[in-house]
Amino acid sequence: MRKLFKYLKKYSFLIFLTLFFVTIQAILNLYLPDLMADIVDKGVARGNVEYIWSVGWKMLGITLLNIAAAVISTFFAARIAMGFGKDLRSMLFKKVMNFSLNEVDKYGVSTLINRNTNDVTQIQNVMFMMLRIVALAPVTAIGGTIMAISKSPKLSMILLVSLPIMFVAMFFIVKYTIPLFKSMQKKLDKLNRVLRENLTGVRVIRAFAKTEYEKQRFEDANEDLTRTALKVNRVFALVFPIILLVMNITIVFLIWIGAIQVDKGALEVGNLMAVMQYIMQIMFSFIMISVIFIFLPRATASAERISQVLDEETKIKEIEIPKKLSNIEEIEFKDVVFYYEGGKEPAISNASFDIKKGEVVGIIGSSGSGKSTLVKLLMRFYDATSGKIYINGLDVKEFSQKTLRERISLTPSRPVIFSGTIEDNVRIGKKDATEEEIIEALKIAQAWEFVSKLPDGIKTKVSQGGTNLSGGQKQRLAIARAIVGKKDVYIFDDSFSALDFRTDAKLRRALREKLFDATKIIVSLRVATVMNADKIIVLENGKVVGIGTHKELMNTCTVYKEIVSSQLSEEEIA
Ligand SMILES: Nc1ncnc2c1ncn2[C@@H]1O[C@H](COP(=O)(O)OP(=O)(O)OP(=O)(O)O)[C@@H](O)[C@H]1O
C-alpha cells in the first residue's frame, strides 16, 4: 500500500483540507457532551431555564458546524479517493499497453482486467474510509480520554479493561483475514477466467455439447470463492459480537459505578452522562479503526497486485537514442534462437536468412513449427534469446518499437475486430485515411465486394469481435486495415486461411500489383498461398530447413516436398 502512496502527492493540499475538517469535526464532537453536562448540572438540576436556552442554542450551532465540517470533509475525501482511483486505472492501462507479449503471457488477460477494475475499487473504498477515520479516530480516542478523565478519573479506569479486550479481538481479525483476502482475490481471478473463456468460446462449447461440463467448471470456481468468502465472514461473525458485548458490559459497569458515585455525591448526573458519551465515543473510534483493519488487508492485497503491474519491468527495453528508419531495404536474421518464458525447447533455433526490399517471402511449416514466432520476433513483440535481427544492417533494438511498427504492418492470424463501423476498423491502420483510401484498401483486400453490398457500405456497424461477420470477411477487414497505411513491409500471418482458394489468389495478385515495391511476408500452412513467392522459408520444429523458390525447394528440401505432396495433386505439382 505504501508503494502506492507516492502517487498521492498531487492530492497533498486536498488531503490536508480533509484532515483539517475531520479534526474540526472530531473536536466539535468532543465539545457536545461537555455542554450537555453543563445543561444538566447547571440548567436542569438548578431549574435555570435561561441557562438551558443559551447552552441549547450553543449546542445547536455546534451541531450545525459539525454537520458542515462532515459534509466538506466527505466531499474532499470522495474527490481524493475517486481521483486516485482514476489515476491508478490510467497508470495501469498505460503500463499494460506498453507491456511486451512476455508480460501479457506472464499475467494473463483476466487478472489484468481484475487488477484494473476490482483491485482499484478496493483501494478507492479504503482510501475514502481512511481519509476520514485516520484523523477522526485518534483525535476522538485521545481527546475523549482526556475529557473523560477530567470529568471522572475513577470511571475512566474502566477503559483499562475494555480496550485490551478489543485490541485482542482486532488482532484476530487482522491475523486471520489477510491471507483469506489474498486467496479470495486469486479465486476471483479464476472465476473471471472461466467466465471469459465460457463467453468467448460459447459457440465451441455448444458445438461440442460441453455446456454441462462448463457449467460445472463455473460452479466449482464459484463455490471455491464463496467458501473463502464465508470463512472471512465467519471470523467477523465471531469477533464482532465479542466487540459489541465488551461495549455493552462497559456501559452496564459505567452506570453501576457511576450511580453509586452520584448517590455518594462524588459525581454530578450531567458529568456521568458526559463520561458515558466520551467512553462510547472512544470505543466507537476503536470500532472505526477495526473496520479499517478489516478492509485494509484486502486493499493491501489489491495494492500489492497493482504495484506488481506498475513495477513490472518490460522485457523489451527501448534504446535511449533510437535510430531513424526511413525505409526498410533489408531484413536479416542471424543465428536467432528464441525460448518462450518457461519453455524447455527453443521455439526458434539458429534461424538465419535475409529478405530484400520488394521480395515476396513465404514462410511455411507445419502447425507449431515457429512461423508466428518468427514474425513476432521481427515485430519485436519478443526479443531473441540469442542471435540478432538486423534491419538495414542495424540491430532491430536500435530502433524504437513505434518506428518499427510505423514501417512494418502485421495482420495476425486471428483477426481482431473492434466495435464501431467498418470504416472505423480500417481507419485504425491510418488515422487520417480518406474515404477513397479506405475503399481502395478494401478493394485490394477483396473486402469491397461484400462491403459495397451492405446497406450502409463502409458506415455499416460491426459488433464487438465482429460476430456479425463471417471468418473470411473478418480476415479481409483486418487485411484492409493493415494495408491502408503505406508501409515498407507487410506481414500476413496465416491471414488468408479463411479465404477460399479463388479469393486467396485474387488477393495475392492485388497485393503484388498494388503494393509491388513493398516487401511482403506471407505465413501460411497452404502451399498454394506461398508457392509463387520469390523466396520460401521452410520451418520444422523451430529450425529453418530450407530456403529457396518452389522449384529449388522441390529439389532440395524433403520437408517442403512432403508438405507439397500432402496438399497438391500430381498435376498441380507438375
Ligand atoms: N506465448 C507462448 N508461450 C509459450 N509457448 C508458445 C507461445 N506461443 C507459441 N508457443 C510455442 O512455440 C512453438 C511455435 O509456435 P508458433 O505459434 O510460432 O507456431 P506456428 O508455426 O505459427 O503454428 P500455427 O501454424 O499453428 O499458428 C509452439 O510449440 C508453441 O507451443
Side-chain angles (χ1 to χ4, degrees):
M1 192 84 168
R2 230 174 299 137
K3 271 190 187 168
L4 294 184
F5 283 165
K6 61 177 180 234
Y7 303 115
L8 269 174
K9 250 192 204 144
K10 72 184 226 205
Y11 297 105
S12 308
F13 185 59
L14 276 183
I15 293 174
F16 167 75
L17 283 180
T18 313
L19 297 184
F20 175 74
F21 282 103
V22 170
T23 311
I24 299 244
Q25 193 194 342
I27 292 171
L28 293 176
N29 268 338
L30 289 170
Y31 192 29
L32 282 173
D34 191 40
L35 289 175
M36 188 198 60
D38 260 8
I39 277 198
V40 174
D41 295 338
K42 294 184 189 151
V44 179
R46 294 175 199 172
N48 188 345
V49 179
E50 213 173 295
Y51 192 79
I52 295 175
W53 273 110
S54 83
V55 179
W57 281 117
K58 214 174 181 181
M59 282 179 83
L60 190 66
I62 285 175
T63 308
L64 288 177
L65 280 178
N66 199 337
I67 293 171
V71 169
I72 296 172
S73 62
T74 309
F75 174 75
F76 285 142
R79 279 203 81 137
I80 299 164
M82 299 308 136
F84 185 52
K86 177 177 163 261
D87 295 347
L88 282 181
R89 278 193 295 272
S90 305
M91 280 190 288
L92 278 168
F93 183 73
K94 237 192 233 162
K95 183 81 191 185
V96 171
M97 283 295 111
N98 286 323
F99 268 3
S100 75
L101 292 190
N102 284 300
E103 290 84 48
V104 178
D105 291 349
K106 178 175 160 187
Y107 287 94
V109 175
S110 295
T111 173
L112 288 176
I113 294 177
N114 265 354
R115 287 172 204 227
N116 202 328
T117 49
N118 180 46
D119 286 327
V120 173
T121 310
Q122 301 288 351
I123 307 247
Q124 236 174 9
N125 293 344
V126 164
M127 180 66 62
F128 178 66
M129 252 194 303
M130 253 174 51
L131 275 167
R132 306 200 60 251
I133 294 179
V134 105
L136 200 60
V139 175
T140 310
I142 297 169
T145 312
I146 295 171
M147 294 298 281
I149 292 175
S150 75
K151 300 270 175 216
S152 167
K154 222 178 208 169
L155 279 184
S156 309
M157 299 284 260
I158 202 157
L159 285 174
L160 292 176
V161 182
S162 340
L163 287 186
I165 300 176
M166 284 181 81
F167 268 127
V168 173
M170 273 153 52
F171 173 77
F172 271 103
I173 293 187
V174 176
K175 185 170 181 282
Y176 286 107
T177 52
I178 290 183
L180 285 176
F181 276 127
K182 274 191 185 171
S183 122
M184 252 175 85
Q185 229 80 346
K186 278 203 190 115
K187 286 173 183 173
L188 190 66
D189 273 354
K190 189 176 167 201
L191 187 75
N192 279 351
R193 196 172 56 239
V194 175
L195 191 63
R196 222 179 101 86
E197 279 176 7
N198 267 290
L199 293 179
T200 47
V202 69
R203 289 177 184 76
V204 182
I205 291 164
R206 300 253 165 94
F208 282 86
K210 283 283 181 202
T211 314
E212 281 311 311
Y213 170 77
E214 286 300 325
K215 257 190 203 161
Q216 194 52 47
R217 205 158 75 101
F218 182 81
E219 282 307 319
D220 290 347
N222 202 1
E223 183 68 39
D224 200 17
L225 177 67
T226 314
R227 233 178 289 132
T228 315
L230 281 176
K231 261 190 214 162
V232 173
N233 282 303
R234 235 172 274 147
V235 177
F236 292 158
L238 201 75
V239 179
F240 264 125
I242 295 178
I243 293 178
L244 282 177
L245 191 70
V246 173
M247 279 183 73
N248 287 318
I249 292 178
T250 308
I251 292 173
V252 170
F253 269 97
L254 264 176
I255 296 174
W256 184 28
I257 302 168
I260 296 172
Q261 297 261 316
V262 172
D263 193 38
K264 274 194 210 159
L267 187 71
E268 286 178 290
V269 179
N271 275 347
L272 169 64
M273 286 165 74
V275 172
M276 265 169 63
Q277 283 208 6
Y278 284 130
I279 290 192
M280 286 311 289
Q281 281 189 5
I282 296 165
M283 297 192 90
F284 211 73
S285 61
F286 274 90
I287 292 193
M288 279 196 283
I289 295 172
S290 73
V291 169
I292 282 253
F293 275 107
I294 292 162
F295 287 98
L296 199 62
R298 196 167 180 181
T300 311
S302 290
E304 260 173 45
R305 284 156 54 92
I306 291 173
S307 301
Q308 204 187 4
V309 176
L310 290 178
D311 296 343
E312 182 72 54
E313 289 252 344
T314 164
K315 279 210 165 164
I316 308 275
K317 298 264 185 312
E318 291 279 26
I319 190 156
E320 264 183 40
I321 308 167
K323 293 266 184 326
K324 288 215 165 63
L325 185 62
S326 53
N327 205 342
I328 298 184
E329 299 288 337
E330 192 188 14
I331 296 166
E332 188 188 0
F333 274 60
K334 199 150 192 219
D335 300 325
V336 172
V337 176
F338 177 72
Y339 285 82
Y340 278 105
E341 185 106 8
K344 291 201 173 57
E345 297 293 321
I348 296 293
S349 40
N350 293 317
S352 295
F353 57 85
D354 65 350
I355 298 173
K356 297 270 185 306
K357 183 178 164 62
E359 273 185 337
V360 178
V361 178
I363 301 180
I364 198 166
S366 55
S367 186
S369 56
K371 305 181 295 295
S372 298
T373 308
L374 208 61
V375 293
K376 280 178 190 157
L377 288 171
L378 176 58
M379 289 299 287
R380 238 193 131 202
F381 289 155
Y382 299 97
D383 270 340
T385 313
S386 69
K388 288 260 194 287
I389 299 170
Y390 296 104
I391 289 187
N392 298 351
L394 288 170
D395 191 332
V396 74
K397 293 179 189 167
E398 298 274 332
F399 306 106
S400 73
Q401 293 173 61
K402 185 166 178 279
T403 306
L404 206 62
R405 288 163 203 169
E406 272 166 6
R407 312 239 56 99
I408 309 177
S409 103
L410 169 75
T411 315
S413 43
R414 253 185 290 156
V416 179
I417 304 294
F418 298 93
S419 52
T421 61
I422 289 189
E423 182 183 7
D424 297 337
N425 267 283
V426 178
R427 209 183 281 283
I428 292 170
K430 189 181 178 198
K431 235 185 3 221
D432 52 356
T434 61
E435 210 162 281
E436 288 71 41
E437 283 177 312
I438 289 175
I439 294 175
E440 173 68 7
L442 288 167
K443 280 183 180 164
I444 301 174
Q446 308 303 306
W448 186 237
E449 56 184 77
F450 78 86
V451 173
S452 61
K453 284 187 198 126
L454 294 170
D456 297 322
I458 59 170
K459 307 272 186 225
T460 306
K461 287 232 177 301
V462 282
S463 51
Q464 190 201 6
T467 39
N468 54 347
L469 296 172
S470 78
Q473 288 171 339
K474 276 191 271 189
Q475 276 198 337
R476 282 178 278 171
L477 265 194
I479 293 168
R481 178 195 296 155
I483 59 183
V484 71
K486 296 282 169 271
K487 307 276 169 124
D488 301 333
V489 180
Y490 295 92
I491 304 173
F492 302 98
D493 183 2
D494 208 11
S495 331
F496 310 155
S497 59
L499 307 183
D500 57 83
F501 281 95
R502 202 175 67 91
T503 314
D504 179 348
K506 268 168 72 180
L507 173 58
R508 277 182 291 112
R509 200 175 319 121
L511 289 176
R512 205 178 259 277
E513 284 164 11
K514 303 282 182 184
L515 310 174
F516 65 94
D517 56 345
T519 309
K520 290 163 282 286
I521 301 175
I522 302 174
V523 173
S524 183
L525 284 156
R526 281 193 208 157
V527 175
T529 308
V530 296
M531 66 188 284
N532 294 321
D534 302 318
K535 184 190 276 174
I536 303 168
I537 298 169
V538 188
L539 283 177
E540 192 185 40
N541 297 330
K543 290 192 190 75
V544 175
V545 290
I547 300 179
T549 60
H550 171 71
K551 229 179 184 172
E552 288 163 358
L553 290 170
M554 283 306 282
N555 293 324
T556 55
C557 181
T558 356
V559 176
Y560 186 72
K561 260 199 298 194
E562 275 167 16
I563 299 173
V564 171
S565 56
S566 69
Q567 291 183 17
L568 302 183
S569 63
E570 290 295 327
E571 301 95 80
E572 282 170 313
I573 297 173

